[in-house]
Amino acid sequence: MKSGSILIISNEAKVGQEISEKIKLLRECDTIRIVSYIEAISVLNSTQPSLILVYCSKSDSIGIVKEIRALKALDKVPIIFVMDNFIEDLLMYAFDNGIDDFFFLSDADSIILMRIFLTLQKSVLYKQIDISNEILISANIIEKQTGIYLKEQAPVALRNFFSKSIEENLENTVFMYLKPVAIDNKKLNMLKIAEVIKSIPRGNDIVAYGKNSGFYLVLYTSGIAGAKSVANRIKNSLANICKLYAVAAEITTSFEEMEPILVQSLKDQITTEKDFNYLYDLTLNEAIEVIDIKDENGKKFKDFKKEFFESFEKMVAPVFYQTQSSASVTYPNAKINFSVKETESRFIIEEGNLSSEIIITYPTYIKLLIDIKHTEEDNPPVIRRLTYDFEDFSSEKLESILKDVISEFSNKLNLDTLYKTEQTNG
């Protein structure tokens, strides 16, 4: 079979042909072959299709999936389960053993084709990740055996992932800290534990070695439900090896701030025998006081945070003040205010039913997120976001941004005034 081909595995020839008819419009260049369970492994030993469809017949469907995944050359080839009816336990078991997606034989052709397209797209993405991983292995950033970020490199990598998550407004992206604890004082098999932990999350999730022989996970768009599911699956898979504790929270601030909170929470959980905890309210200052966290240069993070804000305040406050003073002369009827705080800084100008606002946040203390919001009564707000590395930001850039925002406010204010005048004259 050539690259771009699809292999359908079914013990019922009629069903195999039916599946073939449903997907024949996928691409003209695709070749489709139908084989039985008995023939499948022999065929796959000599060929590598782009996609495998396994019809869930009365035979051992999970067994054939296991056999396919045991073939080294096929461990990245996507497998889609084809079912007559929804059987939850069977489907979950199939996912645990390596399928990538599923559809029902009764589904419309369009739905089946969309599921196949998405699976093939994910397959390409995973291949790109594999290439990136090879580069990271050679640079001694991730572990060759498991593909997990090494402990020494994890803070740098996670700092960037957190920053990117916040910058792109990725909601429900979760940071999880896992801690395996030995059963009956048995020595922990960390390599086995690492392999299991790496195998459960999705391909684009991040796994890294963490503090105190623990593990860090970044789970994209999972929310609390996804975090619980991942933690439970890992716990169940390791039940005979160790006891597992997990704590998680949505990424809303920097890795340096979140890490000590989760580490401290997990210490408390182990004491109280609580397997899983999801944190909704992160008490940052208290956690930072409890744990003496330092960056790679040895500086305490709370000192770094203080220095950041002092430097930021010296840059921003004078620009806000000067802009407020000059704008008050140009727009005598407008209400103009600003604030510079440790969590966020704001500048707002409003008159009548119009307001324009700049909100600057710095959740990672590496990047500045600048949200510009124009609001008019009875209309949805117009919002855009700018992102700057702190070291590249300057008072001149802020002055330029403020000038543009006030100009946009002025144009809208003048248009509205002109419209109202015309309406009155009319």
Side-chain angles (χ1 to χ4, degrees):
M1 298 179 75
K2 65 179 182 178
S3 177
S5 60
I6 298 173
L7 183 68
I8 299 172
I9 302 174
S10 173
N11 272 347
E12 299 180 33
K14 184 178 179 181
V15 174
Q17 190 59 43
E18 184 179 350
I19 296 171
S20 177
E21 289 296 317
K22 285 177 175 287
I23 65 173
K24 66 181 181 181
L25 296 178
L26 190 61
R27 291 180 305 189
E28 289 183 3
C29 62
D30 287 319
T31 58
I32 301 172
R33 181 174 177 180
I34 305 168
V35 298
S36 67
Y37 279 33
I38 295 174
E39 299 170 303
I41 299 303
S42 175
V43 170
L44 290 169
N45 272 323
S46 57
T47 60
Q48 183 171 331
S50 295
L51 177 68
I52 300 171
L53 304 180
V54 177
Y55 174 61
C56 180
S57 65
K58 296 178 182 178
S59 304
D60 184 10
S61 308
I62 305 298
I64 194 67
V65 172
K66 287 182 178 180
E67 288 188 66
I68 295 170
R69 285 296 178 234
L71 299 174
K72 184 66 177 177
L74 298 175
D75 61 350
K76 300 299 182 184
V77 175
I79 301 175
I80 297 181
F81 224 38
V82 185
M83 307 179 72
D84 290 313
N85 303 297
F86 178 69
I87 307 172
E88 183 175 4
D89 291 344
L90 178 62
L91 190 57
M92 293 304 294
Y93 192 33
F95 272 109
D96 284 340
N97 282 280
I99 70 165
D100 296 88
D101 204 348
F102 74 99
F103 62 78
F104 298 111
L105 195 58
S106 58
D107 284 341
D109 293 2
S110 57
I111 293 176
I112 292 172
L113 292 177
M114 281 190 289
R115 299 297 282 265
I116 291 175
F117 276 130
L118 288 172
T119 300
L120 290 171
Q121 285 174 355
K122 285 190 289 184
S123 177
V124 172
L125 174 62
Y126 293 159
K127 288 177 182 177
Q128 292 172 344
I129 291 172
D130 284 342
I131 294 170
S132 299
N133 284 347
E134 288 298 322
I135 297 171
L136 294 174
I137 289 169
S138 64
N140 202 34
I141 294 173
I142 66 174
E143 186 178 58
K144 183 174 182 178
Q145 300 97 311
T146 61
I148 294 177
Y149 280 85
L150 295 168
K151 184 179 179 180
E152 296 76 15
Q153 307 296 338
V156 177
L158 291 173
R159 182 184 296 150
N160 291 328
F161 286 124
F162 277 46
S163 179
K164 196 69 174 175
S165 175
I166 294 168
E167 179 184 332
E168 296 184 359
N169 287 323
L170 297 178
E171 296 182 353
N172 294 319
T173 297
V174 169
F175 178 39
M176 183 186 295
Y177 175 49
L178 300 167
K179 170 71 174 173
V181 176
I183 302 171
D184 300 327
N185 295 319
K186 294 179 181 178
K187 186 177 179 180
L188 292 174
N189 184 340
M190 293 304 294
L191 180 59
K192 176 63 176 176
I193 292 170
E195 289 174 344
V196 170
I197 290 176
K198 178 65 176 176
S199 70
I200 300 297
R202 291 172 297 195
N204 61 334
D205 293 331
I206 307 303
V207 184
Y209 287 105
K211 282 186 176 178
N212 306 323
S213 300
F215 296 84
Y216 300 136
L217 272 67
V218 176
L219 308 173
Y220 287 99
T221 61
S222 71
I224 183 173
K228 279 184 176 178
S229 174
V230 169
N232 283 332
R233 290 177 66 192
I234 294 173
K235 183 180 72 174
N236 293 336
S237 297
L238 293 173
N240 296 325
I241 300 173
C242 64
K243 186 171 178 61
L244 190 79
Y245 294 89
V247 58
E250 183 178 352
I251 293 176
T252 56
T253 184
S254 67
F255 169 73
E256 286 85 355
E257 286 194 314
M258 290 188 71
E259 182 198 39
I261 300 169
L262 269 62
V263 168
Q264 184 61 40
S265 174
L266 202 66
K267 286 182 179 178
D268 298 337
Q269 286 174 226
I270 293 174
T271 303
T272 58
E273 289 291 320
K274 186 175 183 180
D275 289 346
F276 179 84
N277 190 22
Y278 192 87
L279 304 179
Y280 294 94
D281 181 25
L282 304 184
T283 52
L284 301 177
N285 292 330
E286 180 181 347
I288 290 171
E289 292 296 332
V290 170
I291 300 176
D292 182 19
I293 53 173
K294 298 181 181 180
D295 66 11
E296 54 267 31
N297 297 317
K299 182 183 292 183
K300 292 181 181 178
F301 180 67
K302 59 184 178 182
D303 293 336
F304 168 74
K305 178 181 174 183
K306 181 181 178 183
E307 287 182 15
F308 167 89
F309 182 69
E310 287 176 351
S311 176
F312 176 80
E313 187 177 27
K314 287 177 183 177
M315 182 196 307
V316 172
V319 176
F320 276 178
Y321 177 76
Q322 291 165 11
T323 305
Q324 182 191 44
S325 300
S326 59
S328 296
V329 175
T330 308
Y331 307 97
N333 297 322
K335 183 180 177 182
I336 307 171
N337 292 301
F338 72 86
S339 63
V340 182
K341 299 179 180 179
E342 287 194 3
T343 54
E344 65 177 26
S345 298
R346 290 175 177 258
F347 184 98
I348 182 168
I349 177 170
E350 49 189 335
E351 182 175 338
N353 65 348
L354 292 174
S355 71
S356 295
E357 187 173 11
I358 292 177
I359 306 140
I360 308 177
T361 54
Y362 14 90
T364 65
Y365 301 103
I366 298 172
K367 288 183 179 290
L368 299 176
L369 307 181
I370 303 179
D371 291 306
I372 298 168
K373 181 167 69 171
H374 296 291
T375 306
E376 184 176 14
E377 190 176 329
D378 299 328
N379 289 318
V382 177
I383 303 172
R384 72 177 186 272
R385 168 167 284 188
L386 306 174
T387 305
Y388 292 93
D389 290 333
F390 179 64
E391 61 183 17
D392 296 331
F393 196 64
S394 65
S395 56
E396 290 77 16
K397 283 188 178 179
L398 181 58
E399 287 173 1
S400 176
I401 293 168
L402 280 163
K403 183 180 178 181
D404 289 343
V405 170
I406 290 175
S407 176
E408 291 165 0
F409 171 81
S410 176
N411 291 338
K412 184 63 178 172
L413 184 67
N414 291 336
L415 284 172
D416 273 20
T417 302
L418 178 63
Y419 175 74
K420 288 176 182 176
T421 303
E422 289 177 347
Q423 288 289 93
T424 302
N425 293 338

